[in-house]
Amino acid sequence: MSNENPIEVTDEMRQAMVTAQRQGLQKDLRTIAARIRADAQERYEGEGPGWQAGVEWTLRWIENTASQLTEGRP
């Protein structure tokens, strides 16, 4: 890359990149949670209720993590 025409990366550009990355991670986590829920419902439908507590705890943890990625961010 040539230094003849350097591009200045502003704070706003950096913040936009960080926000986009966080939103992408948030979307990925929510997709994973949806897949876990669907797989668990199919796989353990006939089982006793014990498995549900663990799966629900995991899904809540994933959702809380996803929410924290953009919480209080511009």
Side-chain angles (χ1 to χ4, degrees), residues 1 5 14 19-20 22 37 41 47 49 53 57 69:
M1 182 171 175
N5 296 319
R14 283 187 186 90
T19 298
R22 288 177 181 271
R37 181 182 305 278
Q41 287 173 342
E47 299 292 323
W57 181 92
L69 287 170

Side-chain angles (χ1 to χ4, degrees), residues 51-67:
W51 67 269
Q52 292 174 329
V55 171
E56 289 300 322
W57 181 92
T58 301
L59 296 175
R60 282 192 305 274
W61 183 86
I62 292 170
E63 181 56 38
N64 286 340
T65 301
S67 294

Side-chain angles (χ1 to χ4, degrees), residues 15-31 66-71 73-74:
Q15 185 59 45
M17 289 186 292
V18 168
T19 298
Q21 183 181 35
R22 288 177 181 271
Q23 288 172 340
L25 290 171
Q26 186 178 54
K27 181 181 176 188
D28 290 346
L29 284 171
R30 290 190 169 135
T31 299
S67 294
Q68 290 173 8
L69 287 170
T70 56
E71 194 173 88
R73 308 250 186 243

Side-chain angles (χ1 to χ4, degrees), residues 36-54:
I36 289 170
R37 181 182 305 278
D39 188 48
Q41 287 173 342
E42 286 177 17
R43 188 173 299 198
Y44 302 111
E45 191 172 318
E47 299 292 323
W51 67 269
Q52 292 174 329

